[in-house]
Amino acid sequence: MSTFEKNFKTYVVEARFTVLVASIATLFFRFLLFSQKGIPDYHFNETGFIWPYLAPYFANDWVSLIASTLSVFLIAGFISQINLHFGVIRARTALPFVFPLILFSVHPIFLMMNSYYIGAIFVLWAFFPLLETHQRNNSRNFVFQGTVLLALASVFEIYTLFFIPIWWIGYSRMGGFNFKMVFASLWGLILVYWIVFAFFVFGDNLQGFIAPFLYFARFDFHTIPAFTLPQWGFIGTSLIFLIAFLIMDFKYIRHDKVITQKTISFIFVVIGLSLVFLALYGEQSVMWIYIILAFESLILSHLYSITTSNREIFSFFVLLLILIYYYLVNCLTEFSPF
């Protein structure tokens, strides 16, 4: 082990103060971004059932900032617990908690409390029962729990219903998926939506129940988004970095334990399909970006926690500098592509 690698493991990956330093820095940088830019005046489609009733409670900028910050720490906590509970990363590491804090603090949009955060939190929560099905003969209870959580996510962000069949793929990879498990999943979905349906029917607002489902048809295969050249450059660069990280991590998971291989490979599927849905519904909902960043955090954490390559460790600091640069552009200038 080289001195560079040893110092990286000791003072970044495994250091006990890494989480504390990252948490304090996150609070500081989010407050600085808030003081410079405030909460952005961003309008997004109300694609869920409940959020229109909750949004007024977050109309105050400070309430929105505090709620979004708590959501970011909750996302970081979920990702860290996924790793700790299931041992996804074989080395001791603080990065699963740190990466989400960084990724969700570089742009003013992440200061706004919205339904995307709630959808992402429920999707991550549903990841626990999915991983619990690994090598279990009877997993109907976990399948039911996972579907209920995804259905609750869809109450806030209707597009998360797409994750139910995606989770079926995950269940089949973890240990088999049969008709009884499909029935348990559908029963979980029906249970949640029967309650939602009753709420709207008793409120004499059947149209309010139907409206979110209409968003599924609002996509266009033929219209190219009207982005500027710098924006297309930013999108292309982001995709290149994402693909590069997935490729770098793939060479490690081939030699890792089975639960890690299945977990990381399924995350590849989630990220890939989220990119497809983002391309189809990007103008309707950017929740997919929140999902991608959340799961990409675990990919990056796995890669940099077990890498033995000096070049890959060096890329960690390059990535950190790029994120800091993007944060400063957003915070101090008006030249950000997005």
Side-chain angles (χ1 to χ4, degrees):
M1 180 182 293
S2 67
T3 302
F4 183 49
E5 179 188 347
K6 183 178 180 180
N7 289 337
F8 177 71
K9 298 288 186 183
T10 302
Y11 298 110
V12 178
V13 176
E14 301 177 354
R16 297 184 183 277
F17 61 80
T18 299
V19 170
L20 178 61
V21 171
S23 299
I24 295 174
T26 296
L27 294 174
F28 172 77
F29 286 121
R30 289 179 70 85
F31 175 76
L32 178 61
L33 189 59
F34 174 74
S35 65
Q36 294 294 320
K37 297 297 183 178
I39 300 296
D41 184 19
Y42 174 73
H43 174 74
F44 57 93
N45 292 307
E46 304 287 0
T47 63
F49 299 93
I50 292 181
W51 184 252
Y53 301 99
L54 297 179
Y57 294 101
F58 301 98
N60 180 274
D61 287 355
W62 280 100
V63 173
S64 185
L65 172 66
I66 293 171
S68 66
T69 301
L70 291 175
S71 297
V72 169
F73 275 90
L74 188 58
I75 289 173
F78 269 124
I79 295 173
S80 180
Q81 285 302 309
I82 288 171
N83 174 57
L84 292 174
H85 187 73
F86 299 100
V88 177
I89 302 174
R90 62 177 181 264
R92 191 182 76 180
T93 175
L95 296 184
F97 189 84
V98 172
F99 265 117
L101 299 183
I102 298 174
L103 294 178
F104 283 100
S105 299
V106 297
H107 193 280
I109 192 64
F110 296 128
L111 304 179
M112 175 192 294
M113 185 60 195
N114 51 50
S115 59
Y116 306 148
Y117 274 123
I118 300 178
I121 288 169
F122 273 107
V123 169
L124 287 172
W125 195 353
F127 206 58
F128 283 88
L130 186 151
L131 296 183
E132 288 285 4
T133 64
H134 181 243
Q135 295 183 341
R136 288 180 181 264
N137 295 325
N138 188 357
S139 302
R140 283 176 293 175
N141 289 337
F142 294 117
V143 172
F144 173 81
Q145 293 169 17
T147 302
V148 167
L149 290 170
L150 292 175
L152 288 173
S154 69
V155 171
F156 295 92
E157 190 65 32
I158 192 65
Y159 292 116
T160 52
L161 281 178
F162 281 122
F163 286 104
I164 292 179
I166 294 174
W167 251 236
W168 292 355
I169 297 173
Y171 295 134
S172 64
R173 293 181 62 85
M174 289 296 166
F177 194 59
N178 53 45
F179 176 77
K180 291 182 179 179
M181 295 168 70
V182 172
F183 179 79
S185 179
L186 293 177
W187 175 242
L189 178 64
I190 292 171
L191 180 65
V192 172
Y193 270 83
W194 178 254
I195 297 173
V196 175
F197 176 74
F199 174 81
F200 279 92
V201 168
F202 290 143
D204 194 23
N205 185 17
L206 185 59
Q207 183 60 36
F209 176 78
I210 297 174
F213 294 103
L214 300 180
Y215 282 98
F216 288 124
R218 296 187 182 183
F219 59 83
D220 191 342
F221 289 107
H222 307 292
T223 301
I224 299 177
F227 294 137
T228 64
L229 185 61
Q231 288 175 329
W232 279 115
F234 178 84
I235 294 171
T237 303
S238 300
L239 288 175
I240 290 172
F241 271 103
L242 175 60
I243 294 171
F245 290 129
L246 295 179
I247 292 174
M248 283 192 293
D249 196 44
F250 182 75
K251 69 179 182 182
Y252 289 109
I253 68 170
R254 290 182 299 172
H255 307 290
D256 221 317
K257 53 187 178 180
V258 176
I259 182 65
T260 300
Q261 292 178 8
K262 292 181 177 180
T263 301
I264 300 298
S265 61
F266 178 67
I267 289 176
F268 287 174
V269 173
V270 172
I271 291 177
L273 291 176
S274 295
L275 287 171
V276 172
F277 292 133
L278 179 62
L280 292 176
Y281 296 105
E283 295 184 2
Q284 303 298 329
S285 172
V286 295
M287 179 205 64
W288 314 105
I289 294 177
Y290 287 67
I291 300 295
I292 292 170
L293 290 180
F295 282 105
E296 185 183 5
S297 298
L298 193 53
I299 296 292
L300 292 172
S301 301
H302 179 263
L303 169 64
Y304 289 117
S305 295
I306 65 174
T307 182
T308 57
S309 168
N310 285 341
R311 285 184 298 180
E312 290 175 357
I313 295 174
F314 179 74
S315 72
F316 170 86
F317 294 100
V318 172
L319 173 63
L320 189 61
L321 288 175
I322 291 174
L323 291 173
I324 292 173
Y325 173 75
Y326 183 57
Y327 167 85
L328 292 174
V329 169
N330 283 311
C331 184
L332 304 178
T333 76
E334 302 294 333
F335 300 117
S336 177
F338 288 100

